Amino acid sequence: MLIRRAEGRDAGRLTRLVRSSRAYEGRYASMVEGYRVGPDYIEAHRVFVAVEEIPGDEGPGERVLGFYSLMVEPAELDLMFVSDQAQGYGIGRRLVEHMRGEARRAGLDGVRVVSHPPAEGFYLSVGARPVGTVPANPPAVMWDRPELVFPVVPMVPGVLGADSGAGE
């Protein structure tokens, strides 16, 4: 697996990943209905994609395993998705480690995430700390959402492990 900066050509695959996520079935379906991750979004933000190389007759291709988008001002994890088929293999954990490294390089001391309710347990398991609840905002969002923060340990020059560069 490789984590790389997303490019405009990834937009369609990222959009399909969001729209097809089983985490957004049933009562949550309205959140991703018509959602689009466009080339303009990818260009404007720090979007990183986890890919797996797939051999092919015309050269290798890639399969998208997941992605995230880090906003720097204000510091927030805007999007994070792992494909349904890739869940349970540590992809999400690797994406979070990568995101923390990016946040560290950007000089951030924490990254806020307003979680999809079913994803809260995952975020807690990878080090996010609960800080509150964002109330429902009908008609856009019909349910309360957990608010968490990922602490980001600053880089200390000369200290081994201060910047692991995980996933790069």
Side-chain angles (χ1 to χ4, degrees):
M1 181 190 81
L2 168 74
I3 298 176
R4 64 166 174 78
R5 188 80 183 242
E7 301 171 0
R9 66 183 171 89
D10 296 314
R13 294 187 295 174
L14 301 186
T15 295
R16 281 190 296 281
L17 195 156
V18 169
R19 289 184 186 175
S20 67
S21 174
R22 285 194 313 250
Y24 283 89
E25 291 178 334
R27 73 181 225 158
Y28 298 117
S30 64
M31 287 298 296
V32 297
E33 191 175 22
Y35 196 90
R36 178 178 171 270
V37 179
D40 51 338
Y41 179 88
I42 291 170
E43 183 137 335
H45 304 296
R46 294 175 188 224
V47 181
F48 289 86
V49 59
V51 295
E52 170 182 61
E53 191 172 284
I54 300 173
D57 294 339
E58 298 178 21
E62 290 181 334
R63 179 169 77 113
V64 171
L65 303 172
F67 78 100
Y68 75 88
S69 175
L70 174 64
M71 313 285 283
V72 174
E73 188 57 46
E76 184 165 352
L77 179 61
D78 187 44
L79 297 171
M80 181 174 209
F81 283 84
V82 173
S83 76
D84 294 336
Q85 299 78 18
Q87 291 188 13
Y89 295 99
I91 307 299
R93 184 172 298 278
R94 296 262 318 267
L95 287 169
V96 167
E97 289 171 6
H98 190 276
M99 180 273 302
R100 286 177 124 160
E102 283 298 309
R104 185 178 304 111
R105 282 184 281 286
L108 305 175
D109 60 3
V111 176
R112 174 183 187 244
V113 60
V114 177
S115 177
H116 177 48
E120 180 181 20
F122 166 74
Y123 288 127
L124 292 170
S125 78
V126 292
R129 296 184 183 146
V131 294
T133 301
V134 175
N137 183 19
V141 181
M142 302 300 288
W143 50 87
D144 294 348
R145 294 168 293 155
E147 181 179 12
L148 307 108
V149 170
F150 282 104
V152 176
V153 178
M155 282 192 285
V156 179
V159 174
L160 186 61
D163 186 21
S164 66
E168 299 180 315

